[in-house]
Amino acid sequence: QKEVEQNSGPLSVPEGAIASLNCTYSDRGSQSFFWYRQYSGKSPELIMFIYSNGDKEDGRFTAQLNKASQYVSLLIRDSQPSDSATYLCASWVIKAAGNKLTFGGGTRVLVKP
Amino acid sequence: SAVISQKPSRDICQRGTSLTIQCQVDSQVTMMFWYRQQPGQSLTLIATANQGSEATYESGFVIDKFPISRPNLTFSTLTVSNMSPEDSSIYLCSVRLQTLPGYTFGSGTRLTVV
């Protein structure tokens, strides 16, 4: 079982709609969760982070965390063509051997005008 | 805000040779991380570079293949040794900044081995 799992997509959404991305993780010791956006040929860019159960909103983005279900999600409201990218979910774990940020495989999102 | 510069941005190398990638941060950081992103794949952690100690390698990565230096708190290098076409990837350095959550990434090095 992969430590962090995402649906690879592509997730196709019409412009103006809500894009819903899901992520599950296996390590219950995971403390924080991050969503990165990666455009083709570019390095990942942090867009959201969450470490408490519930919802966290920032502009058009909402991150949701359910530690009991080991589930993280990202909602993108009013999707724009510029949101077309790969979204990477990552979990942060503090271990004796060292802190580690583990990435899922990424979900490719296509926003169609 | 801190800037991470990584170089070279890209290179095409002959198999059997080595390439050293540099990562410079404009503020002091405790840990620097090196990731590999193979074509169409996500990021895989290669190793964590701590100043003043040996790098910590993840399963599947060894020091002989990916030697790392960390001479001070703002700089690190990753060498990809004895390269084969399977090493063709994007290599990214990353740091945990005090002023920002999560990791911040350098612009990456796109390596093609022929």
Side-chain angles (χ1 to χ4, degrees):
Chain A
Q1 180 186 10
K2 292 183 180 179
E3 293 184 49
V4 181
E5 297 210 50
Q6 297 178 253
N7 187 319
S8 62
L11 176 65
S12 183
V13 295
E15 183 175 358
I18 296 175
S20 179
L21 291 76
N22 304 317
C23 172
T24 59
Y25 61 94
S26 60
D27 191 337
R28 287 195 172 273
S30 299
Q31 299 192 344
S32 304
F33 303 88
F34 303 88
W35 285 98
Y36 285 83
R37 177 176 62 199
Q38 187 175 29
Y39 293 113
S40 180
K42 301 294 185 182
S43 59
E45 170 194 15
L46 181 67
I47 56 172
M48 286 289 287
F49 68 95
I50 187 167
Y51 42 81
S52 299
N53 277 328
D55 296 359
K56 180 181 179 182
E57 185 175 319
D58 184 1
R60 295 186 297 111
F61 300 100
T62 298
Q64 300 172 316
L65 173 60
N66 184 325
K67 288 189 176 182
S69 301
Q70 297 177 242
Y71 178 88
V72 191
S73 66
L74 178 70
L75 300 177
I76 307 173
R77 291 183 299 281
D78 187 23
S79 296
Q80 302 298 308
S82 59
D83 294 325
S84 297
T86 296
Y87 291 79
L88 301 167
C89 172
S91 71
W92 170 256
V93 180
I94 297 177
K95 293 186 175 180
N99 305 338
K100 185 175 175 181
L101 190 69
T102 302
F103 286 85
T107 298
R108 186 168 163 233
V109 173
L110 297 173
V111 181
K112 297 186 176 181
Chain B
S1 60
V3 172
I4 306 172
S5 59
Q6 191 176 331
K7 58 181 180 181
S9 59
R10 59 177 63 227
D11 207 342
I12 300 174
C13 300
Q14 296 291 322
R15 69 176 66 202
T17 64
S18 298
L19 176 72
T20 295
I21 302 167
Q22 299 180 6
C23 183
Q24 177 76 52
V25 187
D26 69 358
S27 67
Q28 293 185 342
V29 293
T30 304
M31 294 187 288
M32 296 179 77
F33 304 87
W34 288 98
Y35 284 84
R36 179 175 75 182
Q37 187 171 31
Q38 294 179 302
Q41 304 296 313
S42 187
L43 283 76
T44 301
L45 181 63
I46 298 171
T48 302
N50 298 306
Q51 195 269 334
S53 64
E54 292 271 335
T56 303
Y57 289 82
E58 296 299 307
S59 175
F61 298 96
V62 294
I63 188 171
D64 289 347
K65 176 67 176 177
F66 298 100
I68 287 172
S69 78
R70 182 79 201 275
N72 57 54
L73 291 174
T74 63
F75 186 78
S76 177
T77 67
L78 169 76
T79 299
V80 186
S81 303
N82 188 25
M83 289 183 286
S84 66
E86 292 70 35
D87 294 319
S88 297
S89 289
I90 297 173
Y91 292 85
L92 295 143
C93 68
S94 179
V95 299
R96 188 79 188 267
L97 297 172
Q98 291 184 352
T99 54
L100 293 173
Y103 288 28
T104 301
F105 286 86
S107 55
T109 297
R110 183 180 294 271
L111 170 63
T112 302
V113 183
V114 297

